[in-house]
């Protein structure tokens, strides 16, 4: 699948190093001013690698990770599947959605979200949802512009920091 000159494909274990590096870089860019300094300093590739290794080599049932590439470089990532927390109820959960700053405002984020919605609908979810840190105003604006509705709140205990989150949801099947 291609979007705005990006190749979108399922990630696999061969993508581990690139996915880990991309996720850490984008997480740091996103949460630099939101995360406590200790959490920001603690998040590095060594800390993220085990989780991504498990996700890419032995995904849980229904769990998917897709990447968008331009010239062999990851510029977008989305991971989704069954809900990991009761706050999402019966919705499919978007666990990660990151788009590199050089690929923003190209439609790539919407394309990745639409892919996740379609895959979750195929898996018989009627709704999709995600949590966003309350202070992440850029993401909140994006989700609202995509038709997301605030459907709840919860405190994520982290592994890195306790963050206050808003839960956004979409109806994905008629």
């Amino acid at each position: 699948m291609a979007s705005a000159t990006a190749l979108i494909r399922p990630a696999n274990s061969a993508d581990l190093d690139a996915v880990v590096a991309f996720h850490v870089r984008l997480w740091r860019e996103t949460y630099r001013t939101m995360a406590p300094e200790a959490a920001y300093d603690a998040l590095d590739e060594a800390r993220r690698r085990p989780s991504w290794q498990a996700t890419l080599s032995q995904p849980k049932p229904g769990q998917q990770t897709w990447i968008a590439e331009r010239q062999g470089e990851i510029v977008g990532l989305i991971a989704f599947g069954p809900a990991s927390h009761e706050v999402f109820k019966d919705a499919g959960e978007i666990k990660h959605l990151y788009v590199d700053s050089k690929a923003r405002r190209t439609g790539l984020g919407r394309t990745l979200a639409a892919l996740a919605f379609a895959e979750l609908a195929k898996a018989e979810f009627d709704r999709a949802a995600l949590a966003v840190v309350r202070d992440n105003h850029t993401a909140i604006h994006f989700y609202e512009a995509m038709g997301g509705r605030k459907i709840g709140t919860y405190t994520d205990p982290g592994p890195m920091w306790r963050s206050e989150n808003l839960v956004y949801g979409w109806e994905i099947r008629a």
Side-chain angles (χ1 to χ4, degrees), residues 2-151:
S3 169
T5 69
L7 171 68
I8 300 173
R9 65 174 178 80
N12 60 58
S13 57
D15 299 311
L16 177 63
D17 291 341
V19 166
V20 170
F22 179 80
H23 185 195
V24 169
R25 181 172 61 82
L26 270 286
W27 189 94
R28 287 173 159 263
E29 286 175 11
T30 301
Y31 297 106
R32 179 65 188 123
T33 60
M34 291 177 243
E37 190 172 333
Y40 182 86
D41 292 343
L43 185 80
D44 59 18
E45 291 182 23
R47 185 167 186 125
R48 277 289 183 219
R49 182 172 302 282
S51 174
W52 277 115
Q53 187 166 19
T55 297
L56 296 176
S57 64
Q58 297 175 334
K60 295 175 182 166
Q63 187 178 38
Q64 296 185 49
T65 301
W66 290 66
I67 56 176
E69 297 176 307
R70 287 193 183 144
Q71 299 175 340
E73 179 184 350
I74 296 176
V75 294
L77 175 142
I78 191 160
F80 53 91
S84 64
H85 190 279
E86 64 191 25
V87 72
F88 299 107
K89 300 181 180 156
D90 61 350
E93 179 187 359
I94 296 175
K95 297 172 189 318
H96 302 288
L97 174 56
Y98 288 104
V99 174
D100 191 289
S101 60
K102 61 186 162 218
R104 290 186 189 139
R105 301 206 184 284
T106 66
L108 182 58
R110 285 181 180 271
T111 298
L112 290 171
L115 180 147
F117 294 164
E119 291 293 317
L120 289 167
K122 278 192 232 174
E124 310 229 342
F125 287 99
D126 293 326
R127 298 179 313 110
L130 57 75
V132 58
V133 173
R134 182 181 302 275
D135 294 331
N136 191 345
H137 303 293
T138 301
I140 290 167
H141 177 75
F142 173 71
Y143 299 139
E144 289 176 350
M146 284 184 26
R149 292 180 316 115
K150 183 179 157 200
I151 59 173

